[in-house]
Amino acid sequence: MPRKPRHNEPTASEQIEKLLGEPWPFRGRPPRHDVEQWRVIDDWPEQIPVTDAEIAVFEAWFGDVFDELFGPV
């Protein structure tokens, strides 16, 4: 019995190329950005909620750094 041809899904780059109509990544150097025109906006709320799970992750990964900076608790 003959095999059916395998249909491979297009890669992310192929999908982007199809959407944009040109190859990805773009050829040449990236455009220069004039940093003088950049604006920095601080629109974060006064207090940012943090969950116990987020604190546990930071303590697990950066506990030694925190102890070095702030001393053991």
Side-chain angles (χ1 to χ4, degrees):
M1 192 146 110
R3 290 185 180 181
K4 292 182 180 179
R6 211 173 186 183
H7 177 67
N8 293 334
E9 293 295 319
T11 65
S13 294
E14 291 169 342
Q15 292 175 24
I16 291 173
E17 183 175 340
K18 184 177 178 182
L19 287 171
L20 298 177
E22 55 186 288
W24 179 262
F26 301 116
R27 293 192 179 131
R29 290 184 176 191
R32 260 198 156 164
H33 297 285
D34 183 11
V35 295
E36 298 293 324
Q37 301 297 322
W38 288 8
R39 292 184 325 151
V40 177
I41 300 171
D42 179 13
D43 59 353
W44 284 64
E46 191 65 31
Q47 292 186 348
I48 301 167
V50 179
T51 66
D52 289 335
E54 291 170 318
I55 293 171
V57 168
F58 273 91
E59 286 178 346
W61 285 92
F62 302 108
D64 55 341
V65 176
F66 294 152
D67 288 345
E68 192 175 309
L69 289 172
F70 307 114
V73 178

